């Protein structure tokens, strides 16, 4: 089976015959490129007269040298400069591979993220690597991982099957944060757990107590096929756009739905935006999918998705 891990190792091995391509994939795109991916989306369940801008940061995978504290500080500065109404963090803050010169403790990357600022606040969910990295949580099959504790210690709420009601221009909307869908390793490695994911979509949406529009934060995008039309927009990360993306196509995607949910904007039961993320997982290479901050404008006048 040609898994994502094997594919990325294959791409890395091309250095023997394609040195310049490998050098770009390892040394330029992951470290030196940073773009802003902009979308303007008018969801059917969103009031046309309420314009909201959301900046999204996904998949930092903090580590040296690929996502250093200096690099994170630059991302924070660039994100703040977008002047978004609200900033959301979509999970996977810890390193997702072993090819590092140094690990960055959760307290340090969280302190760097504490520099983010938006009128309606900074709101977070966790990703699978944030759970997988915490061996105590994996062993016990419960409890908040270190990443969550670090975020909350610097004043950034981290939602797990929870929702918060926010207001802009006297118009309410909801941010709903889904628990991670891949939080626990298979039970054969650790103490048996009832299921791999801790996501509870029904319980999360049950905390929405009025008819105001809903933005769902879900680290892995696959839940989109189960999201009801009650939700206006889903924001996700996890895929890294496949980490290698050629001519708008990702050869290997960590999603059951392949390129349908690999990257960018899709319309399923609701509008979905999947970020290409910022860091690297498995192997520190990005090719054709540079690190990005996502800026989504929801509602209001303007062009369609861009």
């Amino acid at each position: 089976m040609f898994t994502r891990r094997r594919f990325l190792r294959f791409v890395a091995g091309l250095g023997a015959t394609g040195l310049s391509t490998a050098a770009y994939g390892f040394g330029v795109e992951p470290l030196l490129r940073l773009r802003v991916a902009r979308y303007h989306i008018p969801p059917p369940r969103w009031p046309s007269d309420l314009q909201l801008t959301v900046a999204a940061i996904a998949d930092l995978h903090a580590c040296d040298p690929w996502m250093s504290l200096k690099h994170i500080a630059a991302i924070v500065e660039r994100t703040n400069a977008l002047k978004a109404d609200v900033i959301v963090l979509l999970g996977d803050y810890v390193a997702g591979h072993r090819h590092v010169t140094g690990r960055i403790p959760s307290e340090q990357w969280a302190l760097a993220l504490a520099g983010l600022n938006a009128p309606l606040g900074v709101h977070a969910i966790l990703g699978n690597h944030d759970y997988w990295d915490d061996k105590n949580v994996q062993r016990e099959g419960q409890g908040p991982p270190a990443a969550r504790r670090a975020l909350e210690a610097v004043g950034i709420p981290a939602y797990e099957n929870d929702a918060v009601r926010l207001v802009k221009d006297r118009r309410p909307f909801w941010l709903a944060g889904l628990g991670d869908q891949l939080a626990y390793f298979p039970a054969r490695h650790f103490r048996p757990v009832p299921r791999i994911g801790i996501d509870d979509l029904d319980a999360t949406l049950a905390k929405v107590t009025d008819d105001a529009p809903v933005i769902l934060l879900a680290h892995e995008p696959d839940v989109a096929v189960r999201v009801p039309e009650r939700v206006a927009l889903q924001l996700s990360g996890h895929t890294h756009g496949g980490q290698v993306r050629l001519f708008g196509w990702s050869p290997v995607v960590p999603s059951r739905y392949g390129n349908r949910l690999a990257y960018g904007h899709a319309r399923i039961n609701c509008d979905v935006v999947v970020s290409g993320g910022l860091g690297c997982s498995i192997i520190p290479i990005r090719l054709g999918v540079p690190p990005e901050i996502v800026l989504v404008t929801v509602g209001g006048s303007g062009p369609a998705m861009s």
Side-chain angles (χ1 to χ4, degrees):
M1 181 179 179
F2 202 45
T3 65
R4 180 171 178 242
R5 182 180 298 273
R6 289 179 179 176
F7 174 75
L8 291 176
R9 285 176 174 169
F10 168 75
V11 172
L14 290 179
T17 55
L19 184 59
S20 60
T21 299
Y24 176 84
F26 275 97
V28 177
E29 195 156 299
L31 288 170
L32 302 180
R33 293 193 65 187
L34 176 62
R35 70 170 190 160
V36 177
R38 300 173 185 266
Y39 302 85
H40 191 288
I41 299 174
R45 294 299 301 259
W46 192 269
S48 60
D49 59 346
L50 173 58
Q51 180 167 293
L52 180 78
T53 54
V54 184
I57 291 175
D59 303 290
L60 275 176
H61 292 295
C63 64
D64 289 322
W66 312 106
M67 184 60 68
S68 66
L69 290 174
K70 182 178 179 181
H71 198 170
I72 296 172
I75 291 168
V76 167
E77 182 178 2
R78 184 83 177 271
T79 304
N80 286 341
L82 297 174
K83 304 295 184 183
D85 296 312
V86 62
I87 296 173
V88 298
L89 310 179
L90 299 177
D92 273 6
Y93 311 97
V94 304
H97 57 86
R98 300 176 181 176
H99 306 278
V100 303
T101 60
R103 296 177 62 85
I104 297 176
S106 295
E107 294 77 11
Q108 294 183 18
W109 57 252
L111 186 61
L113 291 176
L116 291 166
N117 182 51
L120 299 181
V122 182
H123 308 264
I125 58 172
L126 301 183
N128 56 301
H129 284 284
D130 303 317
Y131 284 90
W132 293 359
D133 188 68
D134 193 315
K135 299 302 185 291
N136 289 330
V137 168
Q138 291 295 314
R139 183 173 56 252
E140 298 297 327
Q142 62 181 345
R148 178 174 181 173
R149 298 196 303 269
L151 287 166
E152 292 178 342
V154 297
I156 299 175
Y159 302 105
E160 182 182 293
N161 301 321
D162 207 353
V164 61
R165 189 176 187 266
L166 302 175
V167 178
K168 182 192 177 186
D169 298 334
R170 294 183 292 184
R171 300 292 300 274
F173 67 95
W174 291 83
L175 283 183
L178 190 67
D180 191 71
Q181 300 160 63
L182 300 172
Y184 293 107
F185 280 128
R188 66 179 182 271
H189 294 302
F190 294 92
R191 177 181 295 181
V193 294
R195 55 194 291 246
I196 293 175
I198 58 171
D199 54 302
D200 191 332
L201 183 60
D202 290 341
T204 302
L205 296 180
K207 295 181 179 180
V208 175
T209 56
D210 58 29
D211 61 355
V214 179
I215 296 175
L216 177 69
L217 311 180
H219 178 68
E220 295 90 359
D222 285 10
V223 73
V225 301
R226 298 191 288 113
V227 170
E229 292 184 359
R230 171 71 180 86
V231 173
L233 174 67
Q234 175 183 319
L235 299 177
S236 295
H238 181 64
T239 67
H240 302 204
Q243 217 158 287
V244 174
R245 190 167 176 84
L246 308 171
F247 307 107
W249 176 74
S250 303
V252 181
V253 183
S255 165
R256 286 174 292 175
Y257 305 100
N259 274 265
R260 187 183 184 194
L261 287 173
Y263 175 75
H265 176 252
R267 174 73 191 172
I268 302 182
N269 297 326
C270 67
D271 285 282
V272 182
V273 173
V274 181
S275 170
L278 290 154
C280 299
S281 178
I282 300 177
I283 289 178
I285 185 171
R286 296 181 74 104
L287 187 62
V289 54
E292 67 180 25
I293 302 163
V294 168
L295 182 67
V296 182
T297 300
V298 189
S301 60
M305 189 279 299
S306 61

